[in-house]
Amino acid sequence: VGKRPVVTFAGEDVAEVKDVVYAGGGQVAGFTLNGRGMFSGPLKSALAWGAIEALGPDAIMIADGGALSPRESFLSDSGAAAAPHGGDVLGSRVLTTDGTDLGKVIDVIVEISDDAKRRADVVGYEIEPSEAFGDDAKNLLIPLPDTIAASAEHLIVPASAREFVSHDLAGFGASIASFRKQLKTPS
Amino acid sequence: VTLFSDAKGRKVVDLATADTIGNVDDYVVDGPNKTLAAITLKKSTKSGRLIAWKKIASFGTDAVTVTDESAISAADGPLAELADKSKTFRGKQILSTAGQILGSVDDVDFDPESGALNYVVVKAGDNIPGERLVATGSYAVIVRA
């Protein structure tokens, strides 16, 4: 999702995704935005999840520029302002409950439910792995539990998440399912 | 049914004077209306290089005719917006309303009488019927998923 362009139905690219804002419980409240182009910085507007028409592989589609809302009011509405991690997921370190640093978050994996509410859950992170995975490790996908603790600095995942990392999206769906199942079964 | 690439270079003739006033160079698409909005000329002998579709008397197989030279205009009004360089249709990437890139515009097949777009010929992809067109922007051509 990171850096993906935000495009209106008129065919204009109005922004690109800067970071994800959580609503709590791993649900996506929306995105903070950067301007398009090499030298443009963060925009003062944000994109609420409800205003998104489609989250595609190549672009995020919105009806028109009116879908963007002012950043401050969006952050306070979504309750993210109270949580310091609002809009600060990409670049955070992923730490396991047993204190291993798994790596840096470079992208999030969003699962969109099919029901009418179209809830979006963050189900995993793409991370740039730390030494814990060896020196030549490529980017990894790491599944997330239903709920996660997050601060501006760290995102906490259960230690067992490490066993469920995968290298591509193909096996990732199954990996999430088995990971979450394992978390729910008392061991 | 005409491919635009076939029509490119066709001469444009002024029916009042029987002079050739230019050659067809490119086309301007009106996305929401799924039609050609205008054609542009090269080697135009008049000022301006845009002919609005409704000013074309006939889009023939050998020549495009206009009733008189007033058909040629500089871009103005809503046409200027459509004819903006950043919105050039040919070569533009095609994005579906579901946020997926489907390829880029190679050519268009249009009805020489009405100017309606029959389909868009896609480079590295399947042809897209004209009725799926939503809009043409500077970033992409938007088509219904």
Side-chain angles (χ1 to χ4, degrees), chain A residues 111-128:
Chain A
E111 182 183 68
I112 300 163
S113 60
D114 289 332
D115 60 28
K117 280 182 284 181
R118 287 201 320 151
R119 274 183 20 165
D121 273 332
V122 174
V123 293
Y125 291 133
E126 182 176 1
I127 59 169
E128 197 178 274

Side-chain angles (χ1 to χ4, degrees), chain A residues 5 7-13 36 54-59 61, chain B residues 87 95-101 134-140 142:
Chain A
V7 182
T8 65
F9 279 172
E12 304 294 335
D13 52 335
R36 292 285 284 165
L55 182 63
D58 303 304
M61 307 302 295
Chain B
K87 294 188 177 176
L95 191 61
S96 77
T97 51
Q100 193 178 7
I101 289 175
V134 176
T136 309
S138 59
Y139 180 74
I142 308 293

Side-chain angles (χ1 to χ4, degrees), chain B residues 29-127:
Chain B
V29 169
D30 180 346
N33 288 320
K34 302 147 184 53
T35 58
L36 295 184
I39 57 173
T40 59
L41 304 184
K42 64 179 171 194
K43 293 190 229 153
S44 167
T45 57
K46 310 293 171 193
S47 64
R49 47 187 288 276
L50 204 61
I51 299 180
W53 186 266
K54 56 179 190 284
K55 297 276 182 65
I56 293 173
S58 177
F59 205 107
T61 49
D62 298 307
V64 176
T65 58
V66 296
T67 46
D68 59 64
E69 64 175 55
S70 71
I72 301 186
S73 64
D76 58 355
L79 202 52
E81 206 171 295
L82 292 171
D84 190 82
K85 265 238 159 17
S86 68
K87 294 188 177 176
T88 304
F89 202 69
R90 196 156 34 97
K92 187 132 288 182
Q93 62 179 342
I94 303 171
L95 191 61
S96 77
T97 51
Q100 193 178 7
I101 289 175
L102 304 177
S104 64
V105 177
D106 194 22
D107 208 342
V108 293
D109 184 298
F110 65 100
D111 180 339
E113 276 175 29
S114 65
L117 288 184
N118 294 322
Y119 57 85
V120 178
V121 180
V122 181
K123 191 176 278 178
D126 297 330
N127 289 349

